[in-house]
DNA sequence: ATGACATAAACGTTATGA
């Protein structure tokens, strides 16, 4: 079996909010070499598209499709298999940052990664914008059609009490509001399943911890980074890992405040 | 206590993040 054929049957896909591509480059290389993912959705590049360091990833066998911008936001798809760009930006929401990119992956997966708006606070205009951005995401996603689709990224919503360290006490506060949870449910209702939660219905596992106040060690985290898939993707999923070891400092390098999340798919 | 950390920005202070 050639390497190309192997990838048609076994695919490791991932999502990772890296909190600054240029600041995280050396750390990312260690993770890529260790976990060897085939497709990675990245969020929060904080880098203009034209400054993306393609050669650094090409040296590791990856090419990148990039939707960046200066200072903030920015998404990309890294692949070591063939991929074709399908969509750059969320239609109707281009003014709210570089937050969506889609590629067709060799082997038959349509792969989209998103960096959903944070919202800042319930009183802030960004909160209403966050809800509107989700409405646009649902409309855009519903207009598409592909048998094997993955929507992954940093969703900035805590879907259930189990997914946030504050549990039921968080209800009604930002990330935990009914309005946000309705939007997340609307995304799921387009025919998507949370790959981690599907395999581990009762586990409490977080993908983000605040840098401040020793949140990681105090287990004050949130699960806000998701790999969502259609039934064909769910059926192919063999394992899902929230890679919390890579939320820790490594060889003196600072980690992102988000852990990578990856899934192994077989077909 | 709106702090704590970390990142980027023609910057030594401010905006953003979740």
């Amino acid at each position: 079996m050639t390497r190309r054929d192997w990838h048609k049957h076994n695919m490791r896909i991932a999502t990772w909010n890296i909190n600054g591509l240029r600041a995280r480059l050396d750390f990312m290389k260690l993770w890529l070499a260790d976990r060897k993912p085939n497709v990675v959705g990245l969020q929060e590049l904080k880098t203009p598209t034209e400054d993306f360091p393609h050669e650094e990833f090409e040296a590791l066998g990856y090419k990148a499709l990039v939707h960046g911008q200066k200072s903030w936001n920015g998404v990309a798809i890294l692949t070591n298999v063939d991929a074709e760009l399908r969509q750059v930006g969320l239609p109707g929401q281009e003014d709210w940052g570089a937050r969506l990119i889609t590629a067709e992956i060799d082997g038959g997966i349509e792969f989209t990664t998103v960096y959903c708006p944070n919202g800042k606070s319930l009183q802030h205009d960004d909160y209403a914008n966050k809800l509107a951005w989700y409405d646009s995401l649902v409309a855009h996603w519903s207009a598409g059609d592909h048998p094997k689709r993955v929507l992954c990224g940093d969703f900035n919503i805590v879907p259930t009490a189990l997914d946030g360290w504050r549990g039921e006490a968080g209800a009604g506060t930002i990330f935990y509001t009914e309005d946000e949870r309705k939007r997340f449910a609307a995304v799921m209702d387009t025919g998507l399943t949370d790959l981690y939660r599907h395999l581990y219905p009762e586990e409490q596992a977080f993908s983000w911890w605040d840098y401040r106040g020793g949140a990681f060690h105090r287990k004050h985290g949130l699960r806000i980074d998701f790999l969502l898939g259609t039934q064909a993707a769910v059926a192919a999923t063999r394992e899902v890992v929230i890679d919390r070891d890579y939320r820790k400092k490594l060889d003196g390098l600072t980690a992102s405040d988000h852990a990578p999340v990856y899934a192994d798919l077989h077909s």
Side-chain angles (χ1 to χ4, degrees):
Chain A
M1 183 182 284
T2 66
R3 181 167 181 272
R4 183 186 175 87
D5 289 336
W6 189 90
H7 285 306
K8 285 193 187 295
H9 298 283
N10 303 275
M11 191 76 74
R12 175 166 286 181
I13 64 170
T15 182
W16 196 8
N17 179 323
I18 52 177
N19 186 25
L21 177 79
R22 288 166 289 175
R24 207 68 57 216
L25 201 50
D26 289 338
F27 193 103
M28 290 176 71
K29 288 176 180 176
L30 295 175
W31 183 76
L32 291 169
D34 185 14
R35 302 310 192 199
K36 301 176 176 59
N38 301 113
V39 184
V40 188
L42 300 173
Q43 308 90 39
E44 276 208 272
L45 307 183
K46 299 183 172 179
T47 304
T49 302
E50 58 270 26
D51 291 351
F52 191 93
H54 288 277
E55 64 288 348
E56 302 271 2
F57 293 101
E58 283 164 7
L60 298 173
Y62 291 94
K63 68 172 189 174
L65 300 167
V66 182
H67 183 29
Q69 71 178 88
K70 187 179 170 184
S71 304
W72 296 304
N73 309 315
V75 288
I77 300 173
L78 282 182
T79 63
N80 65 4
V81 295
D82 289 340
E84 273 185 38
L85 187 63
R86 284 285 188 267
Q87 178 70 32
V88 172
L90 177 58
Q93 295 289 340
E94 288 89 348
D95 290 347
W96 298 104
R99 297 178 180 274
L100 181 147
I101 189 167
T102 298
E104 175 80 23
I105 309 298
D106 184 42
I109 298 176
E110 188 203 75
F111 184 92
T112 298
T113 196
V114 290
Y115 175 48
C116 303
N118 171 304
K120 291 192 177 73
S121 70
L122 300 189
Q123 298 74 31
H124 200 285
D125 286 347
D126 281 14
Y127 178 71
N129 295 336
K130 177 181 189 174
L131 300 180
W133 191 93
Y134 261 94
D135 292 339
S136 294
L137 176 63
V138 171
H140 171 66
W141 192 260
S142 301
D145 185 28
H146 192 285
K148 199 170 185 179
R149 301 174 97 185
V150 170
L151 175 61
C152 69
D154 174 0
F155 287 79
N156 278 329
I157 292 176
V158 176
T160 72
L162 183 60
D163 298 310
W165 68 274
R166 295 168 65 205
E168 298 291 354
T173 64
I174 189 144
F175 280 47
Y176 299 74
T177 66
E178 278 307 310
D179 282 337
E180 289 166 298
R181 286 172 167 174
K182 274 186 210 162
R183 266 48 176 211
F184 189 78
V187 172
M188 303 295 283
D189 285 347
T190 64
L192 293 168
T193 297
D194 176 345
L195 298 185
Y196 178 82
R197 188 54 79 213
H198 182 70
L199 283 189
Y200 303 104
E202 310 290 339
E203 286 287 320
Q204 182 164 68
F206 303 138
S207 63
W208 173 87
W209 296 261
D210 201 310
Y211 282 122
R212 299 166 293 184
F216 183 78
H217 296 289
R218 295 166 68 189
K219 306 185 192 308
H220 287 184
L222 306 174
R223 195 174 72 93
I224 53 178
D225 299 273
F226 305 106
L227 292 162
L228 311 178
T230 55
Q231 276 309 306
V234 174
T237 300
R238 295 292 177 269
E239 177 61 296
V240 183
V241 174
I242 302 180
D243 208 354
R244 69 187 294 286
D245 281 350
Y246 281 88
R247 175 59 180 79
K248 302 172 184 173
K249 201 173 272 279
L250 183 62
D251 294 355
L253 301 170
T254 301
S256 170
D257 45 358
H258 296 253
V261 182
Y262 65 83
D264 290 325
L265 275 55
H266 178 87
S267 57

